[in-house]
Amino acid sequence: MLNFELYNPTNYIFGKNQVEKLATLIPFNAKVLLAYGGGSIFKNGIHAQVTEHLKGHEVIEFSGIEPNPRFETLMKAVEIIRKEKITFILAVGGGSVIDGVKFISGAVNYEGNTVDILRNRILFKDVSKVIPFGTVLTLPATGSEMNSGAVITIDATHEKLTLGGSALFPQFSICDPTVIQSLPKRQIQNGVVDAFTHVLEQYLTYPQDALLQDRISEGILQTLVEIGPKVVENPTDYKLASNFMWCATMALNGLIQKGVASDWATHMIGHELTALYEIDHARTLAIIGPNLYRVMFETKKEKLAQFGERVFNLTGDSTEDIAEKAIEKLVSFLEEMGMETKLSQATTNYDNTASFIVNRFEERGWKAMGEKQNITLDKVKEIVELSY
Amino acid sequence: MLNFELYNPTNYIFGKNQVEKLATLIPFNAKVLLAYGGGSIFKNGIHAQVTEHLKGHEVIEFSGIEPNPRFETLMKAVEIIRKEKITFILAVGGGSVIDGVKFISGAVNYEGNTVDILRNRILFKDVSKVIPFGTVLTLPATGSEMNSGAVITIDATHEKLTLGGSALFPQFSICDPTVIQSLPKRQIQNGVVDAFTHVLEQYLTYPQDALLQDRISEGILQTLVEIGPKVVENPTDYKLASNFMWCATMALNGLIQKGVASDWATHMIGHELTALYEIDHARTLAIIGPNLYRVMFETKKEKLAQFGERVFNLTGDSTEDIAEKAIEKLVSFLEEMGMETKLSQATTNYDNTASFIVNRFEERGWKAMGEKQNITLDKVKEIVELSY
């Protein structure tokens, strides 16, 4: 097990009607930017609930943070905060809105060209230099409600890039599983697959003597296998909804990553597919993930076999045999979750995707990725071509 | 799943040589009380390491915090802090020292009779009114390094009572698994059983639709079953030591308790055995736990069977059959961990223990305990008598 630090100061507030606590969570004298995406929070009543509990605060609204939030859009909010002297941001939405608010929080007082925050992967560590924020989660998937990372798209160059740092944890996150009831089926499917893949990125590496992290990861995966297909069909079932929401947070709140080297190459490649073709984030992971495991089989076969045995109860003649079955079982699960697992099912004109992505990575100076830094650009090309 | 709040701001710093970070963790202008127990931290070199990294700070030492820390002892430290205007406490030790420091931290500025902190179970919620503290853990067992609770003994009346509150989280905890190397075998055994029982208190209740919490609990239990007996024999094996230490923290840092009703009656009864006979805390749990499960079988049989199936891979003809086997397998595991599982093996003159404990609980106004509040005083009597 590697040395690690576990620090997560987010006050995570989970359950029915917890939005009532909003009034006590935001500093009484705060001037608030209420940030959200499109109109869904008007349809499902969350906008009305939130504004009810914000009474007494001066509130300015900022709408239009899109899925895969754009740097260009977020900079408009940054300007409003600077001009209006906003002191607190409330993000109401899913991972895109929360990620967007993390960028806004850090960018307001950033001295320099704000696009460099993304290009140079700036880490924000000083809480006194960011705008504090809380969240009301409306779509479980990304774990952004309890971590300090974010992914932002630069529209001008079609790039998805990351930022983060310990100053960018939400002060609080209100997570009410009943929000799932009003989500489109496709978003619930995406949420389950996104959370599932987050675990795989941290778990499907190689044996690292981290016995408990493995068990917790397997516990999240087992729970998502048990409830994932059901929650899509029965989003009003509180047992299913609450376990789904809690799994999605636990998949990426930092816990299972402690003490281990993790992969994240599926995300790095997947982000390019979203930037190029606007394929839903989770759906890019379903296309890339299994093929990455096929190409990196020798590196990952022990953990693939452990995944197959413990999560899918597979048996077989050898480590290799169980590992191969595990990849096929994963594909079946992704298909059961409504995913397409080939790029050709999600877009046309994909012929040059592999070389285009490799060029992108080369331009950024990326030479290799993955838990052993052995997913070279040749391997990336192979993985993407296998995904066509 | 019940509504919950998860808030844990402790900066948990895990791994080899992490004590080197001490200098950056304590405020540079702090006047420090260095609190510890007996002489073990001199023998294993930790006192020397800690003082090396405290150079530049004004430090006053306070030694003699005993196992099952005494109110009377701790009040001496409270007086020193008040007199010397100490601004930070560093606890170096196991759960007893850390628990003791939590009491000290809260008691210094407490207005009123400090014994009432224990008698009235005062919750400390205002960080500005307690003395901030950090810890260097020398004995994995209690989880106190990453939670805000403590158990203190009043020597005058032989009572073990609790305190806590969100202001009593350590600011940081440095947890280096190599400290296990110098521990007596008995303390490692106790640590494993203490952590194991902490999980059981939160997990062995009834099905509560908390699928992920169950999986995480089972993951800690599975890991402790796998490594517990081995780490006693091979405390220098870093794989074993690191997984043991991490399990002990995760068993009681609050995570697995979120969203579920938990039991804690084994601890409440066990504390009385320690107060009466000075039996090691973990050993009281090994005596009481299995008998509590026998007496409360109807309430707990579903989770006992799940425990048996998932943790011990047991099979059987019925829920009851597997549940009964699970209790016997638990007893075997406790014996393998060097525990005596009968009161008569740990002390003599125990004849009136059951009625004495019931009287104690009556005096405190306690009528029932457990996750369903159905462990009445009659049941307590039955449990203790079955444990003779």
Side-chain angles (χ1 to χ4, degrees), chain A residues 148-193:
Chain A
S148 61
V151 185
I152 306 298
T153 298
I154 303 175
D155 207 20
T157 51
H158 290 273
E159 286 177 289
K160 280 187 90 165
L161 298 168
T162 59
L163 77 153
S166 60
L168 292 185
F169 282 101
Q171 284 201 346
F172 62 82
S173 282
I174 294 176
C175 302
D176 181 340
T178 64
V179 297
I180 292 165
Q181 294 173 17
S182 58
L183 292 178
K185 192 168 171 173
R186 183 179 180 92
Q187 286 196 350
I188 301 177
Q189 292 171 330
N190 287 354
V192 171
V193 171

Side-chain angles (χ1 to χ4, degrees), chain B residues 33 35-37 62 64-78 81 89-108 117-118 124 131 133-135 142 144-145 147-153 161 163 168 170:
Chain B
L33 188 79
Y36 51 95
F62 181 80
I65 300 178
E66 54 278 273
N68 308 304
R70 304 307 207 255
F71 166 76
E72 291 84 352
T73 305
L74 303 171
M75 282 307 298
K76 293 178 194 164
V78 169
I81 291 175
I89 316 172
L90 183 65
V92 181
S96 293
V97 171
I98 299 171
D99 278 17
V101 164
K102 287 176 185 172
F103 175 85
I104 297 166
S105 166
V108 170
I117 293 171
L118 301 170
F124 292 88
I131 306 296
F133 65 97
T135 89
T142 72
S144 190
E145 65 278 7
N147 67 40
S148 62
V151 184
I152 306 296
T153 298
L161 297 168
L163 77 153
L168 293 185

Side-chain angles (χ1 to χ4, degrees), chain A residues 134-388:
Chain A
T135 90
V136 176
L137 184 67
T138 62
L139 196 167
T142 72
S144 189
E145 64 279 7
M146 202 181 178
N147 67 39
S148 61
V151 185
I152 306 298
T153 298
I154 303 175
D155 207 20
T157 51
H158 290 273
E159 286 177 289
K160 280 187 90 165
L161 298 168
T162 59
L163 77 153
S166 60
L168 292 185
F169 282 101
Q171 284 201 346
F172 62 82
S173 282
I174 294 176
C175 302
D176 181 340
T178 64
V179 297
I180 292 165
Q181 294 173 17
S182 58
L183 292 178
K185 192 168 171 173
R186 183 179 180 92
Q187 286 196 350
I188 301 177
Q189 292 171 330
N190 287 354
V192 171
V193 171
D194 197 13
F196 199 88
T197 310
H198 288 157
V199 180
L200 295 182
E201 293 275 27
Q202 300 164 86
Y203 163 78
L204 259 186
T205 56
Y206 59 94
Q208 298 188 48
D209 289 348
L211 306 180
L212 180 58
Q213 288 90 322
D214 278 2
R215 294 285 186 186
I216 298 173
S217 295
E218 290 152 3
I220 302 170
L221 297 170
Q222 285 169 304
T223 305
L224 288 172
V225 167
E226 182 179 344
I227 64 168
K230 293 182 197 162
V231 74
V232 174
E233 300 303 325
N234 307 290
T236 61
D237 181 320
Y238 191 76
K239 175 180 173 181
L240 299 173
S242 58
N243 280 287
F244 165 38
M245 190 174 237
W246 181 217
C247 278
T249 298
M250 287 291 292
L252 199 51
N253 66 357
L255 187 75
I256 61 173
Q257 190 153 11
K258 297 300 164 188
V260 295
S262 51
D263 184 345
W264 296 109
T266 297
H267 270 71
M268 293 167 93
I269 301 170
H271 284 166
E272 299 304 316
L273 297 183
T274 301
L276 285 169
Y277 306 119
E278 303 218 348
I279 302 170
D280 295 357
H281 169 62
R283 288 165 195 267
T284 69
L285 307 175
I287 291 167
I288 297 298
N291 293 306
L292 186 143
Y293 304 138
R294 288 178 179 124
V295 171
M296 302 309 297
F297 190 79
E298 279 305 309
T299 293
K300 291 178 180 284
K301 63 186 181 186
E302 285 85 2
K303 285 303 279 287
L304 277 165
Q306 183 178 320
F307 167 59
E309 288 177 318
R310 293 190 183 175
V311 175
F312 290 129
N313 300 311
L314 298 175
T315 55
D317 298 330
S318 62
T319 298
E320 286 77 8
D321 182 36
I322 305 171
E324 282 168 10
K325 287 177 181 166
I327 295 174
E328 298 319 308
K329 187 77 185 168
L330 169 63
V331 172
S332 303
F333 175 68
L334 293 169
E335 287 170 351
E336 189 183 0
M337 288 308 307
M339 298 291 116
E340 291 145 349
T341 54
K342 290 188 176 302
L343 186 56
S344 53
Q345 295 169 307
T347 187
T348 51
N349 276 335
Y350 50 82
D351 286 353
N352 296 318
T353 308
S355 48
F356 189 88
I357 290 175
V358 167
N359 286 341
R360 269 277 167 90
F361 289 176
E362 277 177 345
E363 282 165 21
R364 288 186 206 135
W366 298 359
K367 295 199 171 91
M369 49 194 73
E371 69 275 11
K372 289 188 170 176
Q373 290 291 299
N374 63 352
I375 306 181
T376 56
L377 298 191
D378 283 350
K379 296 284 185 193
V380 170
K381 189 158 185 284
E382 197 179 338
I383 292 162
V384 178
E385 284 176 349
L386 200 59
S387 307
Y388 282 175

Side-chain angles (χ1 to χ4, degrees), chain B residues 23 26-32 50-59:
Chain B
I26 296 178
F28 76 96
N29 56 354
K31 185 171 178 182
V32 179
V50 165
T51 47
E52 169 69 22
H53 294 291
L54 282 176
K55 272 183 187 165
H57 285 98
E58 190 176 350
V59 177

